[in-house]
Amino acid sequence: MSTTSREPLPLPLPASAGPAGPAVPDGGPAWSGEHARRWLGALPPRWVPQPSGNGHLLTAWCATVAVTALLASPAGWQPWAAALSALHVLWLCARPEIVPVSAPVAAVLLLALRPGTSGPGTGGPATAAAVAGLALVWGAAVLRLVARRRQRERAREAAGGTTAPLPDAEGPQPRGRFLTGSGTVLLALGAGAVALTPAGAAPAGRTLAWLVAGQGLTTLLSGLLGRRRAAALRAAPAPVLRVLVREGADGDTEVFAADDPAGLRPLFRVAVTEAGGGVGTADGDEEETQALLARLDREGPGPLREAVLHGAPCDGAEVLLVTAAEEAGRPPVCERSSGPVRPLSDASVRRALAREERRTARRTAYAELRRSAGDAVASGAVPAGVRQWRAGPLDRLCALLLVFWAGSLFWSETGGWRYALGAVAGFVGALWLPHWLAWRITADREGLWFNGLRGPRHLPWDEIRTVECKGTELTVDSLRASFTAWSAHAPRWPWLERRFRLVHPHERVAGEITALWRTPALRPSESAGEGQRGRPLWPLALVLEAAWAAALVFAA
């Protein structure tokens, strides 16, 4: 999100979309700033949680897990009661439609069954606190649902009764299929685990099973509701409004009032996907792939464009956008929502602007550090010949901390859950830890070599697409679709790096590789030997797997 537009004027939307009909329906009004302010005024109070991005949903899920753990362990609640109470935190953010029914039912069950009485002295206070929390969640959910109705009414008022059929009303409707399928699988797995786990098994295992079932139910309902709302939008002519849009830095689309050409105040954001996309010609697919790569490489938001909004936007609604293309001379683009509308309050806009300012400052500082690393290569301050970069102490420390954390988690369990979950964790760790502990990149005159479980992979210099260190991830990607991007992760503290002018090891690697990639004269003149290209990591994986298995056996 940004306070400035990259274009002096929004890219215009043609009056006609070609054979599909007009891009702007006759009489389609502009969503003015006055109507937009009335629409924003219908938002619920600031204390009511209303996610504006996926990060908020992830936070809600983490809070759900934390509350479940507190109720199941210190309070001694039964697994079903701990999970049911805590899941209302997630439902309030992701699916408030559930809460008006589920919260009273859960409160009655808690008061009638008193699931927390297994811990002496903890049953009454814990139950009272949980019921009070459920009442608060119920009130917040009702306020949010009432605000949705007000937003829909004010959006229809702004449209002034103008409606039009959706351009893709006859096409396929993929909305909700993935969520419905994945939710069904998760719900079946969780419910099956609950049914098959003996009553005397480890409480942590049964609690986890209830949480998986709750997450599956949430995902399933999200898919069904999204599909139902998308079908209702296409079933009849929908309200239309002329707006401005742009692709945000995170890939979602931001929608602005039609008289906000500077893009100062986004009204809401929504994830979209191009409607009517099928399998085209090879040239068309190649053009789409190149356009997608260009958008992924772009830093910051895209250009502001004119668009027509179909539907009455509100929290959780489905919409369709007919937007001007980002490239001149191309026809308008029809985009259907692939996620719910997420209104943006003043506080969320301020936070987003502050995050972007911090992100811009970090990018500037990191770019300077990378230039200094590249200058070191150009000045000959680093050794000539075949170059190599390896996992350092920071990478190994992170891997060891992860192992210790996993060990403490499984050692606290008893019974069959320890060995079942421990075996899965050992297999996953054997696949990932060798890369974390012993990754190596080798640069020679032909390109870059990356070691791996089965052996080295080669990336020629002229096929490199990106070399970047973004956040905690160092990434090297290729123009070749068959090449899986290479990446490595390590924590970082940006304020320490800026304060003491420290260069993160991954930033140095990115800067030096970029210097070699951009300046062929700096590249090594030799070819790396077979041993220098990187040996297979599968022997290390076998050693780690054997050590983990031995630890599980000795802990029996």
Side-chain angles (χ1 to χ4, degrees):
M1 203 171 293
S2 176
T3 58
T4 59
S5 176
R6 290 193 167 194
E7 298 289 334
L9 290 174
L11 300 176
L13 182 65
S16 174
V24 182
D26 292 337
W31 198 358
S32 65
E34 179 182 354
H35 282 106
R37 282 189 293 273
R38 294 190 70 245
W39 185 84
L40 290 172
L43 292 174
R46 289 192 298 177
W47 63 270
V48 175
Q50 183 167 276
S52 59
N54 293 328
H56 292 165
L57 298 179
L58 179 60
T59 301
W61 172 246
C62 293
T64 299
V65 175
V67 172
T68 304
L70 288 175
L71 293 175
S73 182
W77 281 32
Q78 297 177 26
W80 69 266
L84 177 61
S85 301
L87 278 168
H88 282 78
V89 178
L90 176 64
W91 291 341
L92 176 59
C93 290
R95 288 273 64 90
E97 302 88 349
I98 305 176
V99 176
V101 176
S102 64
V105 171
V108 170
L109 290 175
L110 294 182
L111 291 173
L113 301 178
R114 303 294 291 270
T117 55
S118 60
T122 63
T127 301
V131 171
L134 288 172
L136 182 64
V137 168
W138 181 89
V142 169
L143 287 175
R144 190 172 166 192
L145 295 177
V146 170
R148 286 184 177 183
R149 185 171 62 249
R150 291 200 304 264
Q151 286 180 308
R152 283 195 298 269
E153 293 171 354
R154 295 185 182 182
R156 291 192 178 101
E157 290 175 5
T162 304
T163 61
L166 266 65
D168 74 331
E170 303 300 327
Q173 181 184 311
R175 179 73 173 104
R177 288 179 183 171
F178 175 76
L179 291 178
T180 302
S182 57
T184 302
V185 172
L186 285 175
L187 180 58
L189 289 175
V194 169
L196 296 176
T197 303
R206 292 181 61 83
T207 304
L208 177 62
W210 279 105
L211 277 179
V212 171
Q215 176 62 61
L217 176 62
T218 307
T219 305
L220 175 60
L221 289 177
S222 296
L224 293 176
L225 282 173
R227 191 165 183 81
R228 177 175 174 270
R229 290 169 181 167
L233 177 66
R234 297 156 61 121
V240 292
L241 288 166
R242 288 188 286 116
V243 295
L244 300 176
V245 302
R246 89 175 150 216
E247 185 180 25
D250 59 355
D252 286 350
T253 293
E254 301 169 354
V255 178
F256 302 80
D259 55 1
D260 185 10
L264 298 178
R265 177 54 167 95
L267 305 175
F268 65 85
R269 67 196 314 170
V270 60
V272 298
T273 183
E274 188 170 343
V279 178
T281 63
D283 292 339
D285 292 340
E286 182 66 24
E287 290 180 4
E288 292 181 4
T289 301
Q290 293 300 326
L292 176 61
L293 293 178
R295 288 198 299 270
L296 293 176
D297 292 341
R298 178 174 62 203
E299 293 186 355
L304 208 61
R305 299 169 284 153
E306 293 182 353
V308 173
L309 170 68
H310 293 255
C314 66
D315 175 28
E318 301 290 327
V319 296
L320 183 136
L321 293 165
V322 179
T323 70
E326 293 190 7
E327 299 83 11
R330 298 184 68 87
V333 181
C334 182
E335 298 173 322
R336 67 165 71 94
S337 56
S338 58
V341 167
R342 290 172 175 167
L344 298 172
S345 64
D346 291 337
S348 64
V349 171
R350 287 194 297 269
R351 288 193 298 267
L353 291 175
R355 283 196 302 269
E356 184 176 344
E357 290 175 358
R358 292 193 297 269
R359 186 163 52 242
T360 300
R362 286 197 300 268
R363 282 200 299 261
T364 302
Y366 294 160
E368 183 179 348
L369 294 175
R370 284 193 294 270
R371 280 196 300 270
S372 65
D375 292 343
V377 175
S379 63
V382 296
V386 174
R387 295 293 318 280
Q388 286 188 334
W389 301 269
R390 303 170 182 266
L394 187 60
D395 301 273
R396 299 189 180 100
L397 176 62
C398 294
L400 291 176
L401 290 176
L402 179 63
V403 171
F404 286 139
W405 174 81
S408 64
L409 179 65
F410 292 113
W411 260 247
S412 64
E413 294 294 329
T414 58
W417 277 101
R418 170 191 290 180
Y419 301 103
L421 296 178
V424 173
F427 177 74
V428 174
L431 294 178
W432 283 97
L433 285 178
H435 174 74
W436 217 336
L437 292 169
W439 64 260
R440 184 199 299 182
I441 304 176
T442 302
D444 65 4
R445 65 180 181 181
E446 282 85 19
L448 300 176
W449 297 88
F450 307 91
N451 64 348
L453 284 176
R454 294 182 296 178
R457 292 190 298 158
H458 183 231
L459 178 59
W461 291 112
D462 57 0
E463 292 186 7
I464 296 177
R465 184 172 71 87
T466 56
V467 180
E468 61 181 358
C469 185
K470 184 179 295 185
T472 62
E473 183 179 23
L474 170 64
T475 305
V476 183
D477 204 356
S478 172
L479 295 170
R480 192 171 69 243
S482 60
F483 184 92
T484 304
W486 182 95
S487 63
H489 295 264
R492 61 190 311 168
W493 295 269
W495 66 272
L496 279 177
E497 296 173 23
R498 294 196 303 271
R499 176 67 177 81
F500 297 102
R501 302 292 299 169
L502 300 175
V503 182
H504 192 276
H506 288 184
E507 288 287 352
R508 180 177 288 108
V509 173
E512 294 180 359
I513 293 178
T514 300
L516 299 179
W517 171 35
R518 299 294 188 188
T519 310
L522 300 177
R523 297 173 187 170
S525 58
E526 307 172 8
S527 297
E530 194 158 334
Q532 293 176 304
R533 296 174 182 175
R535 300 185 182 280
L537 295 177
W538 63 263
L540 177 58
L542 292 179
V543 171
L544 293 174
E545 178 68 25
W548 180 260
L552 287 177
V553 171
F554 285 129

